[in-house]
Amino acid sequence: PTLQATFYGHTYDNPFMNASGVHCMTTTELDALADSAAGSFVTKSATAEAREGNPEPRYVNVDLGSINSMGLPNLGLDYYLDDAIKRQASHPDQPFVMSVASYQGFNEYVANMRKIQESDYTGLVELNLSCPNVPGKPQMAYDFEDTDKLLTEIFAFYTKPFGVKLPPYFDIMHFDKIAAVLNQFDLKFVNCINSIGNGLYIDEATDTVVIKPKGGFGGIGGEYVKPTALANVRALKQRLNPSIEIIGTGGILTGRDAYEHLLCGASMLQVGTQLEKEGLGVFERLTAELLAILEAKGYASIAEFKGMLGTLD
Ligand SMILES: C=Cc1c(C(=O)O)[nH]c(=O)[nH]c1=O
């Protein structure tokens, strides 16, 4: 069997990528990702200006996952755009993804996308509408009207391929509403999910929180989030135009977790917490485990089961 994954008209050796924020802050880290067993990769979400981010400790691995309130540390859009323009020549047939966020809010999102539109970068962009850790700033994607307004404004000038990174939703009506907004636009993909915002982890030895920012509140990743991630991948796949592909992110530790995201309809798969814990070797392990599942089930390719989740009706 083959793990070949098709995404946005391209064929990748396998569906695995890093999740933005993990192992993707510098060109050195990106080079290592490009050389790893991962099928593709995404850069750390960039803001207009470089940012230090929140005080440390701001990311902690815990038994069943991770908690973070990084606060959008990054080297600035110009740095990642410059790297991406150089790097795109080496990946003409397997475009990677550049992640873009905003610290200031609506207007910075527009300005950042305008800069990319005017640049020589021709690859994919992941517009991060779901950073939960910018104090005082609500997540864009939890405001349906603002998201509609932002995408309308971007599509008025942006002609290059892009998708959006979404937070988890927990109400069926919210799945309906965000899908209705997104279906108006020629988006190439939707990435579900970002970390589950504003969780709290307590250290049993000290009875204190484990991260410094926001009194210990931070985005949750890892095993904790898989049921929510699978539900969001499934719900958005069921609701979005078939032309909008899904990247499945959240709770992927094993080949089985990856297989379940594909069953829910994901085209590509992103690994954050487990990559942070295990290092780049996680991609060799996950590809081997997923391949073993295809062999055991007699599938020749992902296409044979992608989106084929069974229900009990
Ligand atoms: C881009 C900011 C994000 C951050 C962050 O930089 O704090 N953490 C996340 O879990 N998700 C994000 O989207």
Side-chain angles (χ1 to χ4, degrees), residues 44-45 68-73 101 128 130-133 194-195:
K44 168 66 187 173
S45 295
N68 93 83
S69 185
M70 304 291 284
L72 258 170
N128 184 351
S130 48
C131 180
N133 301 322
N194 207 315
S195 52

Side-chain angles (χ1 to χ4, degrees), residues 20-21 44-45 47 51-55 58-60 66-73 101-103 109 128-140 142 167 194-200 211-221:
S20 178
K44 168 66 187 173
S45 295
T47 50
R51 287 178 45 77
E52 285 281 309
N54 291 335
R58 60 193 189 182
Y59 177 104
V60 171
S66 66
I67 184 167
N68 93 83
S69 185
M70 304 291 284
L72 258 170
S102 164
Y103 176 65
Y109 274 119
N128 184 351
L129 302 178
S130 48
C131 180
N133 301 322
V134 181
K137 309 269 185 210
Q139 290 198 41
M140 172 61 73
Y142 282 157
N194 207 315
S195 52
I196 297 181
N198 296 303
L200 189 61
I211 56 172
K212 185 165 185 177
K214 296 173 58 176
F217 282 59
I220 302 296

Side-chain angles (χ1 to χ4, degrees), residues 19-313:
S20 178
V22 180
H23 211 289
C24 56
M25 187 74 80
T26 66
T27 53
T28 306
E29 286 188 310
L30 292 167
D31 288 344
L33 263 175
D35 294 343
S36 79
S40 188
F41 57 92
V42 57
T43 63
K44 168 66 187 173
S45 295
T47 50
E49 304 302 323
R51 287 178 45 77
E52 285 281 309
N54 291 335
E56 296 180 337
R58 60 193 189 182
Y59 177 104
V60 171
N61 285 322
V62 297
D63 201 21
L64 299 178
S66 66
I67 184 167
N68 93 83
S69 185
M70 304 291 284
L72 258 170
N74 74 97
L75 296 171
L77 181 56
D78 292 342
Y79 176 93
Y80 297 102
L81 205 40
D82 182 54
D83 171 271
I85 289 162
K86 288 186 190 120
R87 196 179 296 276
Q88 69 184 357
S90 61
H91 290 73
D93 54 351
Q94 294 186 318
F96 55 89
V97 182
M98 182 165 72
S99 178
V100 175
S102 164
Y103 176 65
Q104 301 289 343
F106 190 100
N107 293 336
E108 185 185 327
Y109 274 119
V110 176
N112 290 348
M113 291 299 271
R114 197 179 294 281
K115 178 171 267 193
I116 299 170
Q117 174 64 25
E118 289 159 10
S119 79
D120 293 335
Y121 179 62
T122 56
L124 283 161
V125 163
E126 180 175 278
L127 186 63
N128 184 351
L129 302 178
S130 48
C131 180
N133 301 322
V134 181
K137 309 269 185 210
Q139 290 198 41
M140 172 61 73
Y142 282 157
D143 183 325
F144 300 110
E145 288 68 35
D146 255 8
T147 298
D148 191 339
K149 203 165 148 256
L150 176 62
L151 292 175
T152 300
E153 195 153 330
I154 290 171
F155 273 99
F157 65 84
Y158 200 84
T159 60
K160 299 175 178 178
F162 80 99
V164 293
K165 177 79 171 276
L166 297 178
Y169 298 95
F170 301 92
D171 187 297
I172 300 296
M173 283 302 294
H174 293 165
F175 292 142
D176 295 340
K177 290 186 83 167
I178 191 63
V181 169
L182 300 178
N183 273 331
Q184 300 170 113
F185 303 102
D186 180 25
L187 288 162
K188 298 306 174 207
F189 68 90
V190 159
N191 183 345
C192 298
I193 60 173
N194 207 315
S195 52
I196 297 181
N198 296 303
L200 189 61
Y201 188 89
I202 298 171
D203 182 313
E204 65 177 299
T206 60
D207 288 355
T208 62
V209 303
V210 295
I211 56 172
K212 185 165 185 177
K214 296 173 58 176
F217 282 59
I220 302 296
E223 289 179 64
Y224 292 118
V225 312
K226 188 175 82 170
T228 296
L230 292 175
N232 277 260
V233 169
R234 172 73 166 174
L236 271 290
K237 187 63 189 168
Q238 288 177 317
R239 289 165 174 77
L240 291 175
N241 298 333
S243 60
I244 305 179
E245 299 194 66
I246 312 286
I247 296 180
T249 306
I252 297 178
L253 245 71
T254 68
R256 174 70 201 181
D257 301 323
Y259 176 77
E260 290 176 5
H261 268 272
L262 297 169
L263 269 184
C264 292
S267 296
M268 298 297 278
L269 305 168
Q270 292 187 352
V271 182
T273 300
Q274 197 54 29
L275 170 58
E276 180 66 37
K277 288 186 175 183
E278 198 170 325
L280 291 174
V282 72
F283 293 117
E284 271 91 0
R285 179 176 62 80
L286 287 172
T287 48
E289 289 178 4
L290 181 57
L291 208 50
I293 292 171
L294 269 73
E295 276 159 6
K297 292 174 179 289
Y299 292 133
S301 73
I302 290 172
E304 291 179 23
F305 63 90
K306 179 178 168 185
M308 307 286 190
L309 175 65
T311 53
L312 297 178
D313 37 35

